[in-house]
Amino acid sequence: MSTAALPADFLRAIAESFPADFLTREPAELQEYGRDWTRVYAPAPGAVVFPRTTDEVARFVALCHQHRVAVVPSGGRTGLAGGAVAMHGEVVLSLKRMTRMEPVDLLGNTVRVQAGAVTEGVHQHCAPHGLTWPVDFASKGSSTVGGNIATNAGGVKVIRYGLTRQWVLGLQVVTAQGQVLELNGALEKNNTGADLRQLFIGSEGTLGIITEATLKLTRLPGKQDVFLFAVPDVAAVLRLFRDARQAPLVLSAYEFFTDKCLARVQRHRKLRSPFEAPSGCYVLLESEGGDPAAVEAWLGSLFERGLVTDGTQAQGAAQAQELWSLRESISESLSATGVLHKNDISLPVANLEAFCSELDAIFASRYPGWEICLFGHIGDGNLHVNVMKPDAVEKADFFAHAKQSDHAMFDLVRKHGGSISAEHGIGLLKKDYLDYTRAPGEMELLRTLKRALDPAGILNPGKILDA
């Protein structure tokens, strides 16, 4: 496996076998395609290739296997764990040109797309038929289907629809040797041994490269109501969630963010809060259905019982989007207004309250006086913990301190039966902490899989774990 200059005969074979615009070594493109949203690692790929078909992917990967050239698969590069970073001369395989979407199958409620299809584009492709692929998150305008599947992406509607893997019927995958696998097709039922497609979902491109997928669709939701509530603290966020679980409505999203997140959004995006008085935390709740009279009575009781201090309901789609923008602009705003250290953790929903009560003590001891921006998908137990770099602290010192302090938080995550990565994956950023969530026996099984499927170690090397 090469981490230095690309072999001359490898480059010659590409020039002879692929279109002239297949490969680039332009410095600006190496910088752009060699990294993801983490901005922690300096990109240093040896080249970037842009296939248009599965056949081109397969032939290229076969060449890489023959010449022991490392490959980093790349989609929308919206990941936050360094999973798409190329920093040791690898070739980035960008799927941005593989955007074909086939006609929607209205009888099977499925659609087959290439891996480079953008998430929001799939939504728009299916919407005229009253259908949707219910995988949805703030980066839907940039993220791609292949990347979503490779990281088993979560998002804002997991409480209603579950994770990406639940909406993938079939996969086309290119192995490390360049073999093309068709896994499960468009079958709802296929009880013929181990479900191989699940090996590749969430594997971050370390076991194979996803080139096409058959997606399972569902009906577009009917009337949706969007509310924003003000509450004093995280404990109040959890109390409201407990109450909302018993409310006469179907929850499709339950998101929260702190006042510090809102301040960063207002600073970067100039968005206005709908409330006059500030509050410690905010909850965005989206619901479907429910008897209007019963829902109205429940809303009124929230104030009477002191569960919220203020609230507003969107009057129409435009206002709903304005409320959602406050939540969906957070990640972008945090990155645009400072240097930060991110964590993406999950807990069993039943353990959230106990975990959060102990988390404050870790913040107080590890980050005294530092700005902590919390937000997340409380409805599925997912918290995003963002530590902002103080102006007086050097960047290198900040990351060293934050990385060391992560151990205390991950100890707490393990104590409460949680995961160190809820939806961002492991990549490079969380690799050193994987054993907080995975037992030794699991780690050895993961290494065995990697060695079996990629014996030369050319697919996204160094990500998740070392085989």
Side-chain angles (χ1 to χ4, degrees), residues 243-250 288-299:
D243 198 77
R245 279 291 209 192
Q246 309 303 318
L249 43 77
V250 177
E288 299 174 27
D291 176 65
V295 172
E296 187 174 348
W298 175 72
L299 291 171

Side-chain angles (χ1 to χ4, degrees), residues 47-66:
V48 185
V49 298
F50 300 97
R52 291 180 171 87
T53 65
T54 295
D55 176 68
E56 286 190 346
V57 174
R59 289 191 291 113
F60 172 72
V61 173
L63 269 178
C64 291
H65 183 261
Q66 177 186 342

Side-chain angles (χ1 to χ4, degrees), residues 119-443:
T119 309
E120 191 170 44
V122 175
H123 295 166
Q124 294 167 351
H125 182 63
C126 300
H129 306 287
L131 298 169
T132 189
W133 189 47
V135 174
D136 189 14
F137 23 71
S139 62
K140 58 181 173 284
S142 305
S143 67
T144 62
V145 168
N148 296 341
I149 296 171
T151 57
N152 189 29
V156 297
K157 301 293 179 72
V158 172
I159 189 175
R160 178 73 172 89
Y161 296 108
L163 292 163
T164 296
R165 72 167 68 247
Q166 292 163 264
W167 297 94
V168 178
L169 282 182
L171 289 179
Q172 184 180 75
V173 177
V174 174
T175 69
Q177 296 77 26
Q179 181 183 5
V180 179
L181 302 179
E182 285 284 352
L183 304 175
N184 201 63
L187 294 174
E188 288 278 5
K189 289 184 174 181
N190 182 10
N191 196 6
T192 54
D195 187 351
L196 295 178
R197 105 199 111 139
Q198 298 299 339
L199 287 179
F200 300 98
I201 299 175
S203 67
E204 301 184 35
T206 62
L207 304 180
I209 299 173
I210 295 163
T211 55
E212 295 190 17
T214 301
L215 307 177
K216 185 176 180 177
L217 307 177
T218 189
R219 283 280 159 200
L220 279 167
K223 181 178 181 295
Q224 292 179 302
D225 291 311
V226 178
F227 307 89
L228 187 69
F229 298 109
V231 297
D233 49 33
V234 174
V237 171
L238 296 170
R239 285 194 297 272
L240 179 58
F241 177 61
R242 187 184 298 273
D243 198 77
R245 279 291 209 192
Q246 309 303 318
L249 43 77
V250 177
L251 288 177
S252 55
Y254 190 95
E255 304 285 303
F256 99 101
F257 50 95
T258 62
D259 55 341
K260 292 181 174 62
C261 290
L262 179 60
R264 293 271 177 174
V265 168
Q266 291 177 309
R267 185 166 138 196
H268 175 58
R269 292 287 307 278
K270 314 302 182 190
L271 300 179
R272 291 192 312 109
S273 169
F275 307 125
E276 291 185 7
S279 187
C281 289
Y282 301 90
V283 170
L284 188 145
L285 186 155
E286 183 181 85
S287 68
E288 299 174 27
D291 176 65
V295 172
E296 187 174 348
W298 175 72
L299 291 171
S301 77
L302 296 180
F303 294 89
E304 295 167 5
R305 292 179 289 144
L307 288 172
V308 303
T309 57
D310 207 343
T312 185
Q313 179 177 358
Q315 303 300 313
Q319 286 188 14
Q321 185 54 51
E322 288 176 9
L323 295 183
W324 265 112
S325 292
L326 294 174
R327 163 62 185 87
E328 292 190 323
S329 300
I330 292 174
S331 287
E332 171 195 330
S333 299
L334 296 183
S335 297
T337 57
V339 174
L340 70 157
H341 177 69
K342 291 175 174 286
N343 269 305
D344 158 52
I345 58 178
S346 66
L347 287 301
V349 175
N351 296 359
L352 270 174
E353 199 161 347
F355 174 83
C356 288
S357 66
E358 295 182 59
L359 189 60
D360 285 340
I362 290 177
F363 291 157
S365 64
R366 299 284 176 169
Y367 301 111
W370 291 24
E371 182 182 352
I372 311 292
C373 295
L374 283 177
F375 69 96
H377 324 290
I378 287 292
D380 54 51
N382 183 187
L383 291 174
H384 296 293
V385 182
N386 300 271
V387 182
M388 306 303 297
K389 185 185 80 67
D391 292 339
V393 178
E394 292 294 326
K395 187 175 179 179
D397 294 338
F398 166 73
F399 283 120
H401 179 83
K403 191 171 183 179
Q404 182 60 37
S405 298
D406 281 346
H407 290 284
M409 183 167 66
F410 293 154
D411 273 330
L412 187 60
V413 167
R414 179 163 54 190
K415 173 184 172 182
H416 289 279
S419 170
I420 63 162
S421 181
E423 58 183 5
H424 292 168
I426 298 299
L428 293 170
L429 210 57
K430 298 297 166 55
K431 179 178 169 181
D432 294 341
Y433 307 102
L434 186 57
D435 59 358
Y436 279 94
T437 298
R438 294 288 199 170
E442 291 180 287
M443 297 282 280

